[in-house]
Structures are given as structure tokens and as C-alpha cells.
Amino acid sequence: LSVTRLFPLQVIFDHEGIFLHPTPDEGSPDQDLLVSGSLRQDSSSVVEWAQCPGEKSQSRQLLETQQSYETEWDMVNAVSFKKKNYTNGEGDHERSRWAFSVNICDLKSITVKKEGWTFLILQLKDSSSSIPALHFHQGGSREFLDSLRRFALLTESPEDETRLLVSTPNKALSQSFENLLDDNNFGLVHKFKRDPYVATLGGFSKVTNYIYDALRGTEEQQQRPPEEVADLLGEVIPGLEINQQEEPGFEVITRIDLGARPQVSRAEPVSADDWSKHQDPEGRIENGAALRQRIFKGGLCHAVRREAWKFLLGYYPWTSTLEERKSLQKAKTDEYFRMKLQWKSISEEQERRNSRLRDYKSLIEKDVNRTDRTNRFYEGLNNPGLTLLHDILMTYCMYDFDLGYVQGMSDLLSPILFVMENEVDAFWCFVSFMDQMHQNFEEQMQGMKTQLIQLSTLLRLLDLAFWNYLESQESGYLYFCFRWLLIRFKRELIFSDVLRLWEVMWTELPCQNFHLLVCCAILDSEKQKIMEENYGFNEILKHINELSMKLNIEEILQKAEGIYLQIRSCKVGVQFSPPLCEPGHHGNVTPIQLQGAADNRPQNSCRGVFTS
């Protein structure tokens, strides 16, 4: 039974007014010929261009008309197209002369050019074939590229910033992609920024294969000289001896055992009395370092969270007085409602001309209606919590219009709004959290790729046998951890455990990348079953997906802290490079290390050798 019979094709993109400018080399009798047509893409990932039915090709007269106008909208308003009825099949012949279709998997790259309008040059993997450039005289190029991102990863070429390299999944995956993601069985952050790389968060093996392909990149992206690979590995774990003389194609870590993992205990949550004892008469937090350590070891009781999270997320400075916080909150309230007024006051006519805002609004409305609806704070119809969720996300689009809204962000806001129960406070805490998470949601997904590389490096250091087993099952990229990292375990834990985990991570103790150690702790608990049952690729993915809502957060935090202490006792420091961003500075990066003082460690207790 074919995929297309199971899942009817859907139209993803359909736009008229896409011109070809055929040259004599392409069979045009007139070097100034322009052919108007429509561009269509469906859910089978096939892109098709056809001359508009009943339209006559315009030649020199149209070209001369358009050249008298400098801007695209002038040209569009000035040019009219005359209809001509074709008879005896001549129209079909004429229209089919320039028509073409191409599967996205056959694309190698797309070059974006501008000459008063945007035109795209599609390069095929088969160099013996070529496609005419597509000229978007009436707009639509951005929307077309967005539609391609639902089926392919488009990455900027390092050699040419106008060229986008295309990396695609297999054809069967492309054909069924939309339907797989709409299936409630996957229940995850799907169709993420209309990019299949992100939309693979919760699917089974077919879907997750795309992450594997996306991480591997195109052949052009994969080709790195051995010495460059060695340099990159040396940056990831400084202090390791890089040996390029061994047999190529293998990566080997030779080291003495890390030693016994220390036993770690958890403490009771910080109570309201404990919290108040850390404030001076003017409301300043005293001994903030010790308080953060207490929060790391035990978390917070719920009564304290509304105030404490504002400090942990950087909304309130730790050294601020109560009066200073009141003034700050007043100023932030004014700023928030000014931004909210911006989108609230947009007329329907304005919105009709703002496609990006329409897209953001549509995604937000769709996501809000399915975010944490089983939680009492959001359940039921006409719930005011849903209205606040919607309004905060729309206002964030005004705050950061370049990023706007990307599916998955509602998952990050929901717990914050639940705790704050206040629109303004929730917004600014969400802004602080997004400063930390910004790279996860950017179009190039560099933050996600970096974290997966870091996680693979950590696991390789901690348990080489397990890492080798995963690698043998084509799971060494750990792409099944993608959802964990993207939205910080929001879909893996029960709601109350999400609150506990997040406040622990926000202390930035014992290291800023503690969430990677949480991943390692979960994998460490599951490795025995995975290896003893000899799970393959599909079984590993299915097993990890089925862990959702079955994890014990206190056990995980204990193990994650133990892993940190175990690594710290090793002589080799683990430095992540390129690192994740510091909170509040998502555009600037600084090295983040899992490394302790060396004076308490035995000499040469850990040694690594990599071969490229």
C-alpha cells in the first residue's frame, strides 16, 4: 500500500506570477522572452512550475514596461496580462514547453539573487540537468523557501552567503511527513518553524532519520580534512592528545577508568521561612551563592517560586532592594503594555499586508489551544490562562520580531505563567528564559547541533562501551535526545517535576551545561536494558520515546550531580567549544567547563587519545 494512498497529498505552496526568463541556450527564440506561470509544491515534496492556463507569454513589451519602474510593487501594478484562448491543443503544447517538476531530494543548492525582485537558481545534484531560474516578480520567494524548509534543511554555504545548501530526507519520509506529524501518537512540538529538521521531535524511526541526515549534512559539508577534524576534537576536550597517525576512519579513546561515582543526596526544598531569612531589612538577598546552592540541592517549595524564579531568571537583580524591585516592575509593566498595544492596535487591513505577523498569530493560536490542556490552569473552554498565554506570546513577537514565534516556545512559557499568575511578570521571566534558549529556536538550529555534539562527547567520555554500541546502531548522534534539549525535558516529565528541574538548572550549578548531565543520567539508567535486549535503531528510539512521564526527577538529579563529581575528579577537563550562550547574552558565547581544581586529583588519572 503506497504512502500517497494512505495519506492524500496536500498543497503546501501555490503561487502565480512566477516568471521564467528563458535564454536562447534554453530554447527561447527571443532573448527578451518572459514566461509567466504558477509554482506549486505538495506534501510529496515535489515542486512543479507550469505556465498559467490561458496566458500568453509576454516578451519585449513586458520587459520594457517593467524596466521603466525601479521597484517590484510599481512593476506589478503597472503590468497587465492579456488573455488568449487556445484551440486545437496549441495551448497545451505551449504551456508544456517550459513546464518542469523536481523532487526536493534532487536539489543540491538554491542561490538567492535580487534584481529589483528576487529570483532563485535551483541547482540539481545531477549536474547534467538544469532548471530555469524562478523570478518572483510578484513576491512569494520567502514563502516558497519556508515551504521547502518543511521538507529540507537549508543551510547557508560557508563560501557563498547567497547560496543555500539543501539536505533532505528519504522520499518515503517526505511523502508522509505532514501526516506523521499530525498524528496524535507523536504528541510533540511538531512542524517546528515549518522545518522538518525540527518537526522530527517525537516521531518514530522514519521521522527521526531526518535528524540523522540533517546532522550529517550534505556531502559537500561533510568533507573535512583529517587535521581539521583533529582540531575540532581538540577544542571539544582540551588536554587530550590528538593522534593522526593511527588508521584513518576510527575514533579511539584510551583512558583509565573515571573511578567510582560519588553517592549524592538531595535535600528538602527551600521553604518560605528559609527564603525570608536570606533577606535583609531592605529586601536584598544575602549570601545569594549559598541560597542558590540550597536551591540546587533541594529546589523550592511552591509558595516561594513566584518570587524566587524572578531572581533565578535574572528579572530581579540579586542585590536589589524591595523598593528598587517595585520601581523596576512599574517600568517593565509600562514597557510590556506599550509592546502589547502594538499588535493589539493593528487593523485587519494592516494585518492582511503583514504575512509574517499573520503566520506568527496563526501558529500561536494553534499551539495555545493544545498546550498543557490537562493542567487545571489551562483546562476547559474560554480559560483566561489560555488568553494570557496567547497575549504574552504575541507580545514577544513585538519584543523580538526577528525570531517571532516558533512552535515549542509555548511549552517554555506555560510553566512560567503557571507559577507567576501575572501577565507582566511571566512575560519578562519568559524573555530571560528565551535569552538562554534563543539558539535552540533560530533558523539554523546551531544551538541544537552544538548541544548534541557536546552530549555525544560527554557520553563517549563517560561510557565508551555504551557510546560504541549506540554508534553501531546508527544512534551515535543521540538524535533521540533532540526533544529533551529543545524544550528542556518539558514533554518528558510530569508538570511538577518540570518546575523542580528548571529551578535547579537556573541556579547554573554546578556547571552551566548541567542539562547535558541530566541527559547522561537518563541514558545511564537505560543503557543496561538497551544493550542487554540488543535494541536496534528503531527499538532505541521507541524505548526513549516511551520514557515520557515515567522518569523520577530526584533520582535523575542525584545521578547527574554524581556524574559531574565523577568527571571533576578526572584530570582531563571537559570544555565545550563552541559553547552554549550565557544567560542574557544569547549573541555572545564564552567557554563553559566541567572542570574542578586539579590539586585533589591523582596524577595522570585520565588520558585520552583520538585518531581522526
Side-chain angles (χ1 to χ4, degrees):
L1 188 64
S2 69
V3 173
T4 52
R5 285 184 62 189
L6 283 170
F7 307 116
L9 296 181
Q10 303 174 21
V11 176
I12 306 300
F13 177 85
D14 194 354
H15 200 288
E16 294 187 355
I18 312 298
F19 286 79
L20 304 186
H21 295 192
T23 65
D25 292 339
E26 296 169 332
S28 170
D30 186 345
Q31 64 177 0
D32 294 331
L33 179 67
L34 287 102
V35 185
S36 173
S38 63
L39 191 64
R40 177 189 177 97
Q41 179 192 343
D42 59 37
S43 54
S44 70
S45 75
V46 171
V47 175
E48 180 181 15
W49 184 93
Q51 189 172 343
C52 292
E55 286 197 356
K56 179 183 178 182
S57 300
Q58 305 296 304
S59 57
R60 190 183 305 274
Q61 180 179 358
L62 175 58
L63 184 64
E64 291 174 353
T65 303
Q66 84 179 52
Q67 288 177 338
S68 66
Y69 299 92
E70 293 184 356
T71 62
E72 180 178 333
W73 62 269
D74 273 336
M75 184 275 295
V76 171
N77 289 335
V79 176
S80 61
F81 299 101
K82 296 181 180 179
K83 304 285 184 180
K84 176 180 178 180
N85 294 324
Y86 290 93
T87 59
N88 300 325
E90 293 178 7
D92 291 338
H93 172 74
E94 176 69 18
R95 288 194 297 275
S96 64
R97 181 178 181 184
W98 305 108
F100 67 84
S101 64
V102 60
N103 196 297
I104 297 173
C105 342
D106 298 326
L107 291 177
K108 180 180 180 181
S109 67
I110 301 172
T111 302
V112 183
K113 299 282 189 180
K114 291 196 176 181
E115 287 186 1
W117 63 87
T118 299
F119 67 95
L120 305 180
I121 303 171
L122 279 59
Q123 183 181 0
L124 299 173
K125 293 176 182 176
D126 180 6
S127 57
S128 63
S129 303
S130 62
I131 298 175
L134 298 172
H135 294 257
F136 292 75
H137 289 299
Q138 299 180 23
S141 60
R142 180 192 295 274
E143 291 79 4
F144 175 60
L145 291 174
D146 284 344
S147 73
L148 292 182
R149 290 187 176 98
R150 300 176 73 166
F151 299 90
L153 178 66
L154 306 184
T155 55
E156 185 178 300
S157 168
E159 290 82 18
D160 182 359
E161 62 181 12
T162 67
R163 185 175 177 225
L164 300 173
L165 304 176
V166 181
S167 176
T168 58
N170 60 58
K171 186 175 181 180
L173 172 59
S174 298
Q175 290 176 329
S176 58
F177 208 73
E178 290 296 310
N179 312 84
L180 285 171
L181 295 175
D182 283 336
D183 189 331
N184 290 331
N185 290 329
F186 295 93
L188 307 168
V189 186
H190 58 286
K191 295 182 185 174
F192 181 66
K193 199 158 182 148
R194 293 172 300 204
D195 185 336
Y197 172 58
V198 181
T200 54
L201 296 182
F204 296 104
S205 59
K206 281 186 179 179
V207 183
T208 309
N209 260 329
Y210 193 85
I211 298 180
Y212 180 78
D213 294 338
L215 283 172
R216 294 183 80 90
T218 63
E219 291 181 5
E220 182 172 334
Q221 292 168 304
Q222 288 182 54
Q223 295 172 353
R224 293 181 183 272
E227 60 274 12
E228 184 177 343
V229 175
D231 290 341
L232 290 172
L233 291 172
E235 290 176 0
V236 173
I237 305 184
L240 291 179
E241 178 185 352
I242 309 299
N243 185 345
Q244 300 181 45
Q245 306 306 314
E246 300 286 334
E247 183 177 353
F250 291 87
E251 297 177 37
V252 181
I253 302 179
T254 306
R255 59 169 176 77
I256 300 173
D257 189 78
L258 286 170
R261 185 171 299 163
Q263 292 297 312
V264 173
S265 60
R266 299 282 296 161
E268 291 296 314
V270 174
S271 66
D273 287 341
D274 294 333
W275 179 263
S276 61
K277 289 176 183 177
H278 280 79
Q279 297 187 36
D280 69 13
E282 293 184 324
R284 294 184 186 87
I285 300 297
E286 296 183 314
N287 201 353
L291 182 57
R292 284 196 297 273
Q293 182 65 32
R294 284 284 313 278
I295 297 170
F296 171 75
K297 294 295 290 185
L300 297 159
C301 71
H302 192 71
V304 177
R305 283 182 172 134
R306 188 180 303 175
E307 183 176 3
W309 278 24
K310 297 172 189 176
F311 290 92
L312 290 171
L313 284 166
Y315 176 34
Y316 285 169
W318 289 90
T319 57
S320 62
T321 65
L322 181 60
E323 289 303 315
E324 289 169 342
R325 293 196 289 273
K326 287 180 180 178
S327 298
L328 174 66
Q329 192 169 32
K330 184 178 183 301
K332 289 296 186 182
T333 299
D334 292 342
E335 186 177 354
Y336 172 78
F337 283 108
R338 280 196 299 270
M339 289 187 290
K340 183 174 181 178
L341 184 62
Q342 290 174 0
W343 65 267
K344 278 282 196 180
S345 61
I346 290 177
S347 67
E348 291 184 6
E349 187 68 16
Q350 287 176 299
E351 187 176 311
R352 188 179 63 81
R353 294 190 295 268
N354 193 329
S355 61
R356 290 185 67 187
L357 185 62
R358 287 200 312 273
D359 289 344
Y360 292 155
K361 184 177 180 181
S362 174
L363 286 172
I364 289 170
E365 289 172 351
K366 189 182 299 183
D367 274 9
V368 162
N369 286 325
R370 59 192 177 196
T371 299
D372 291 324
R373 295 307 301 274
T374 58
N375 186 300
R376 293 182 62 185
F377 191 79
Y378 299 108
E379 70 181 0
L381 298 173
N382 302 316
N383 189 309
L386 298 179
T387 303
L388 291 177
L389 202 63
H390 170 275
D391 288 1
I392 293 171
L393 292 170
M394 283 296 298
T395 306
Y396 187 81
C397 292
M398 299 293 105
Y399 175 83
D400 187 348
F401 201 81
D402 286 342
L403 180 63
Y405 178 77
V406 181
Q407 286 181 316
M409 288 164 56
S410 63
D411 277 287
L412 300 185
L413 172 59
S414 170
I416 294 175
L417 179 58
F418 171 82
V419 168
M420 294 298 151
E421 296 183 313
N422 176 278
E423 182 176 2
V424 175
D425 291 344
F427 173 81
W428 290 110
C429 287
F430 176 65
V431 165
S432 296
F433 194 19
M434 280 302 301
D435 283 348
Q436 300 177 36
M437 304 292 288
H438 202 279
Q439 282 192 330
N440 281 16
F441 295 94
E442 290 170 2
E443 189 170 337
Q444 299 302 320
M445 303 295 297
Q446 189 56 52
M448 290 303 303
K449 296 175 186 178
T450 298
Q451 289 173 89
L452 287 168
I453 292 170
Q454 294 172 346
L455 181 56
S456 181
T457 299
L458 267 177
L459 187 62
R460 187 161 35 181
L461 176 69
L462 290 167
D463 196 327
L464 182 59
F466 183 42
W467 184 88
N468 282 334
Y469 177 82
L470 294 175
E471 181 72 9
S472 72
Q473 303 301 324
E474 296 188 325
S475 300
Y477 280 106
L478 306 181
Y479 30 78
F480 46 78
C481 300
F482 190 91
R483 182 177 66 183
W484 300 358
L485 298 171
L486 180 73
I487 50 176
R488 289 297 189 269
F489 307 93
K490 170 62 166 53
R491 299 287 183 94
E492 318 311 316
L493 303 169
I494 62 173
F495 199 83
S496 58
D497 284 354
V498 171
L499 307 184
R500 171 72 76 241
L501 175 63
W502 285 9
E503 63 201 14
V504 167
M505 291 192 302
W506 290 337
T507 65
E508 299 183 5
L509 297 173
C511 57
Q512 193 168 353
N513 272 346
F514 185 67
H515 64 285
L516 298 181
L517 299 182
V518 171
C519 293
C520 291
I522 298 173
L523 293 175
D524 185 74
S525 298
E526 302 303 320
K527 70 176 182 180
Q528 184 175 355
K529 184 174 182 63
I530 290 172
M531 295 178 74
E532 286 184 355
E533 298 289 334
N534 198 29
Y535 282 170
F537 177 87
N538 292 353
E539 291 83 8
I540 293 171
L541 178 62
K542 185 173 184 293
H543 178 72
I544 295 298
N545 282 338
E546 290 175 350
L547 294 176
S548 180
M549 304 301 157
K550 300 175 183 176
L551 300 170
N552 184 312
I553 189 58
E554 292 300 325
E555 290 180 2
I556 291 170
L557 289 173
Q558 276 183 301
K559 183 169 285 191
E561 185 181 357
I563 291 172
Y564 168 77
L565 296 173
Q566 187 180 22
I567 294 176
R568 185 178 177 182
S569 68
C570 177
K571 183 177 180 181
V572 175
V574 180
Q575 175 176 346
F576 297 125
S577 179
L580 301 183
C581 299
E582 295 279 6
H585 299 84
H586 65 254
N588 303 311
V589 293
T590 56
I592 300 166
Q593 296 185 353
L594 290 174
Q595 185 173 12
D599 45 307
N600 294 325
R601 293 192 293 263
Q603 193 75 10
N604 298 321
S605 61
C606 187
R607 173 178 168 271
V609 177
F610 280 81
T611 64
S612 57

